[in-house]
Amino acid sequence: MTTRPQSNEPPAQGAAPWDPTPSPVGLGGGQNQPSSTAPAAGAVRDTASGGVETPKQREIDNNVGGAAMGLGPLDIKLKRNSFYFGIKHGRKYICGNTVNDSDIINRYVSLLAEAIDRMFKWRIWEPWWIDIYKMEWQAKKRNVYERLRGVYNDDVVNGILNVFDEFISYIDRFREYWIENGIEVKEIIDNLVGGKAEVVIWENMSGLSVYGKNILLNVSKTEGVVLHLVLKDLEGMTIEIPNIFMRVMSKDEYEKFIRELLIPLKVGFAETDESVDESKPVMGTSKPWQAVLWSLIYYGRVHMHIHSVNVNKYDVTVTWHLRSLDHKSLKGFLKDTEKLSKLSREALLAILFTAVLGDGSAFIADNGHYAKPVIEIVMSSEKYKMWKPLLEKLKSTGFSWNKVPRTDRNSVNVVFNGSHAIKLARGMISILPSIIKDVIDALAVKTWINIKQIAEFEPKFRKGMQIIVIADHAFSVTIKEGTVELRHHAKDEKEVKEILEKLKSIYGDEFVSQINVYPEKGGKYLTIVVPMRLIERYDDIRVQVIRVLCQKLRMIKSERKEQIIVKHLTRLTLPIKGGGRGN
């Protein structure tokens, strides 16, 4: 068992403390509401120190209890601390010049007041929240067991459960550490309130650090206040992660998975959330599902330790630092144009899938008039330049997206909207092996749940014309009195050829021979038309069209149009004369 060396010196003029750099991943507050089991602010017990609250601790409580109300006395006390401009020295800060500007001091005093109030609200020095955090892990473990037992053999299920046991065991070790060291948070608060602390302001002016013996307080502000308690001398441990993919796949399936999907899945994480340590991939995450999924993908030896405690507005979490010892980092893969050019459509989707899980989001936006599926990834403008070749290649395979600059910072949103989001969701789901889908299902990953909802979403064009998806391409459902047709507007002959080739590969020559292509009025598009007789013969197409017609039937008010739709539904639900349906 090893842990990274860190200096234990407090920041003094010219002395370098341990690395105060925040974790490289986003660690903002979760969405959980405060637990009802949190101790009240007026409680006098102190389980962290194992006894009754001392007069000194009670004095701290009295000093900071009203911080949330913006009481003046706390601000005055905090201004008595020594404020320094931090100078970066390698990965560490040293205290530089003294800060004399009252405006700057006032800005950071407000950050300190928020941090103290938040730590006091959660009584973060006590271990009660660790017990709740452990229970959350145990609940996820039970859910995995319930979802996977009977679907996979005991060897596979127990292998995954053992991964949970390793994390839970380490949480127990962390609890012991916190009982011994968590009280230092109160000492940091005491020093701040007493005007005895040295506050180091980061070079980029985005945050501050206050150093204790074993705990470092980092506070920064972006969209909200982010508070980390960075830990020192908490030993990590190395665990063995089973290769569950080899256990559930045949030899051919496994070799294909390794060759075509595993590397792309790693690349998606590597180019979003991962960092690198001596060529090894490192994941920093506060999300239990990501810690488990990442470990399973990087099976073999994984070194784990808890890097920090994240004191959020609505919950308390920890940041896991996981380092794979048996795999090399793939960060920078997207800069290799030769490798990028060889990626298949499936590989592109796999990269995007883990990227969306890591740095993206999926949701259905509803403005009150219509609902629109959205899948997006937020990235810096610099990172966008690296991602653009992959995104352009993805667009050439039929997955359109938009770049949306963000006005609040130097970053962009890569957005898949509407039918393009639906198509992307279905594409990503289709390439994943069952074991990965089942594990993510069991972990109840919110983004994954939303991706599945988007894949099942009934898309609409703005004019109310509904669409279905055939061979990863959107076709509008056109209802006429005597027939139903499927239409796709292609921008040129190249797109027509690509779509027909894809349809041919799935449905065969006879299917394609019955499709009509003709210029749209005005010559702007070429329209591909799938006739009713093909809709009838292929179940995957027919079922989608029936769903659209049923939805139309619920919406229309014209009795004449209702009769037309009922007639088409009757035709599509009756057996075909002379034989069964295709597909």
Side-chain angles (χ1 to χ4, degrees):
M1 295 184 289
T2 60
T3 184
R4 295 184 188 174
Q6 295 174 314
S7 170
N8 61 359
E9 295 297 325
Q13 294 271 19
W18 73 78
D19 181 15
T21 307
S23 180
V25 298
L27 299 170
Q31 301 303 313
N32 299 329
Q33 294 301 312
S35 169
S36 60
T37 58
V44 295
R45 67 183 178 84
D46 186 7
T47 56
S49 59
V52 178
E53 192 174 50
T54 65
K56 181 177 181 180
Q57 293 165 348
R58 194 153 40 248
E59 179 185 351
I60 297 172
D61 290 354
N62 293 334
N63 275 320
V64 302
M69 302 178 187
L71 297 181
L74 179 61
D75 292 348
I76 294 172
K77 292 175 181 179
L78 292 176
K79 289 177 184 178
R80 296 172 184 165
N81 292 291
S82 301
F83 290 81
Y84 298 96
F85 289 112
I87 299 175
K88 203 68 182 282
H89 187 267
R91 286 176 56 87
K92 303 174 182 178
Y93 280 110
I94 60 174
C95 293
N97 294 329
T98 301
V99 179
N100 296 313
D101 188 319
S102 60
D103 289 338
I104 295 177
I105 291 175
N106 287 337
R107 186 195 317 170
Y108 289 99
V109 161
S110 67
L111 275 182
L112 286 171
E114 168 67 21
I116 290 172
D117 196 61
R118 195 179 287 181
M119 290 186 289
F120 188 82
K121 165 191 172 183
W122 292 111
R123 299 187 69 85
I124 194 64
W125 50 87
E126 297 181 0
W128 68 269
W129 60 270
I130 302 175
D131 298 332
I132 292 178
Y133 184 66
K134 177 181 175 180
M135 289 167 60
E136 292 172 358
W137 273 86
Q138 291 171 328
K140 288 185 180 296
K141 176 187 173 183
R142 285 194 298 271
N143 196 46
V144 167
Y145 172 71
E146 293 294 336
R147 295 292 295 271
L148 300 187
R149 67 171 179 172
V151 180
Y152 299 96
N153 62 46
D154 290 346
D155 188 38
V156 173
V157 176
N158 290 336
I160 298 173
L161 296 181
N162 287 340
V163 174
F164 276 88
D165 288 338
E166 295 284 13
F167 278 95
I168 292 170
S169 172
Y170 191 77
I171 291 171
D172 288 335
R173 179 184 298 187
F174 167 62
R175 188 183 190 280
E176 294 176 4
Y177 169 92
W178 197 248
I179 288 174
E180 182 178 347
N181 295 283
I183 193 63
E184 189 177 311
V185 177
K186 272 201 166 187
E187 295 172 4
I188 291 175
I189 295 174
D190 187 23
N191 287 336
L192 284 168
V193 173
K196 305 172 187 175
E198 292 179 318
V199 181
V200 182
I201 297 173
W202 302 346
E203 281 181 328
N204 57 10
M205 303 289 283
S206 62
L208 60 86
S209 297
V210 180
Y211 297 82
K213 182 180 178 182
N214 293 302
I215 294 175
L216 160 65
L217 169 65
N218 277 338
V219 190
S220 60
K221 186 169 185 178
T222 50
E223 295 179 352
V225 175
V226 180
L227 193 166
H228 303 313
L229 299 170
V230 183
L231 312 177
K232 178 180 177 291
D233 288 342
L234 174 59
E235 245 188 11
M237 70 178 190
T238 299
I239 61 176
E240 188 74 29
I241 306 296
N243 184 344
I244 61 171
F245 310 109
M246 181 179 286
R247 298 180 184 184
V248 300
M249 298 177 183
S250 67
K251 182 180 178 181
D252 290 342
E253 288 173 336
Y254 178 72
E255 290 177 353
K256 183 179 180 182
F257 170 72
I258 296 295
R259 184 174 63 251
E260 299 180 6
L261 282 182
L262 184 61
I263 288 178
L265 289 170
K266 291 179 182 177
V267 170
F269 277 139
E271 300 292 18
T272 52
D273 281 353
E274 282 182 18
S275 57
V276 185
D277 181 11
E278 296 180 347
S279 80
K280 300 298 184 183
V282 176
M283 172 60 76
T285 180
S286 60
K287 305 165 188 172
W289 71 260
Q290 192 170 32
V292 173
L293 181 61
W294 188 89
S295 298
L296 292 174
I297 288 176
Y298 283 94
Y299 52 81
R301 294 175 301 153
V302 171
H303 184 80
M304 65 158 66
H305 78 276
I306 292 177
H307 171 267
S308 63
V309 176
N310 313 308
V311 189
N312 305 312
K313 189 173 182 179
Y314 297 120
D315 65 0
V316 181
T317 63
V318 302
T319 299
W320 296 90
H321 267 207
L322 309 172
R323 182 174 184 264
S324 171
L325 304 181
D326 297 328
H327 299 257
K328 289 187 177 180
S329 172
L330 294 170
K331 202 168 192 67
F333 182 96
L334 297 184
K335 296 179 181 179
D336 192 323
T337 54
E338 183 178 351
K339 289 181 179 177
L340 194 59
S341 66
K342 295 177 181 178
L343 291 177
S344 66
R345 170 183 170 278
E346 290 73 19
L348 295 172
L349 290 170
I351 292 174
L352 206 63
F353 174 68
T354 43
V356 169
L357 288 185
D359 269 358
S361 59
F363 55 93
I364 297 176
D366 192 341
N367 65 2
H369 299 290
Y370 62 89
K372 180 178 70 173
V374 178
I375 297 176
E376 64 181 12
I377 307 176
V378 180
M379 59 183 70
S380 67
S381 299
E382 191 65 29
K383 186 174 284 189
Y384 170 74
K385 295 176 184 177
M386 180 180 69
W387 273 86
K388 189 175 180 181
L390 179 143
L391 293 167
E392 291 292 350
K393 182 165 183 172
L394 191 66
K395 182 179 286 187
S396 71
T397 66
F399 295 91
S400 296
W401 50 273
N402 295 311
K403 172 190 172 186
V404 181
R406 291 165 62 97
T407 56
D408 58 333
R409 61 173 77 116
N410 185 30
S411 59
V412 299
N413 281 9
V414 175
V415 183
F416 297 79
N417 280 316
S419 62
H420 303 299
I422 295 169
K423 181 179 178 181
L424 178 63
R426 293 174 179 175
M428 291 191 297
I429 292 171
S430 70
I431 58 100
L432 294 175
S434 297
I435 183 63
I436 289 183
K437 289 188 282 191
D438 290 338
V439 168
I440 304 176
D441 272 337
L443 291 172
V445 181
K446 179 63 176 175
T447 303
W448 168 249
I449 293 170
N450 290 346
I451 287 173
K452 291 199 300 179
Q453 289 177 344
I454 289 173
E456 297 170 358
F457 189 78
E458 292 297 333
K460 297 180 182 179
F461 285 131
R462 289 182 178 177
K463 294 182 180 180
M465 188 180 298
Q466 295 178 313
I467 67 172
I468 69 169
V469 177
I470 309 175
D472 295 329
H473 292 279
F475 282 77
S476 62
V477 178
T478 303
I479 304 171
K480 297 182 178 181
E481 184 170 352
T483 190
V484 175
E485 294 177 343
L486 304 178
R487 298 185 174 211
H488 177 91
H489 297 303
K491 61 185 177 182
D492 52 34
E493 291 183 358
K494 180 182 177 183
E495 184 181 351
V496 170
K497 184 179 179 181
E498 289 175 353
I499 293 174
L500 294 181
E501 286 294 330
K502 189 66 182 289
L503 291 170
K504 180 180 176 180
S505 68
I506 297 174
Y507 300 106
D509 291 328
E510 183 182 353
F511 183 96
V512 173
S513 69
Q514 298 181 61
I515 290 177
N516 297 314
V517 179
Y518 59 85
E520 191 71 18
K521 290 181 180 179
K524 189 175 181 180
Y525 298 106
L526 291 171
T527 300
I528 302 172
V529 180
V530 178
M532 180 67 150
R533 59 182 176 273
L534 292 181
I535 297 174
E536 289 181 283
R537 292 190 59 83
Y538 293 86
D539 285 348
D540 61 322
I541 301 174
R542 182 176 59 88
V543 168
Q544 292 186 73
V545 173
I546 289 173
R547 189 182 298 127
V548 168
L549 294 180
C550 289
Q551 190 167 356
K552 284 278 190 181
L553 189 61
R554 290 193 297 268
M555 296 169 60
I556 61 173
K557 297 180 180 179
S558 166
E559 184 176 343
R560 175 61 181 157
K561 290 181 179 179
E562 181 179 314
Q563 291 173 351
I564 292 172
I565 292 177
V566 169
K567 179 180 70 174
H568 295 321
L569 281 170
T570 302
R571 179 177 173 183
L572 289 172
T573 53
L574 289 176
I576 296 177
K577 294 180 181 179
R581 301 187 187 278
N583 201 35

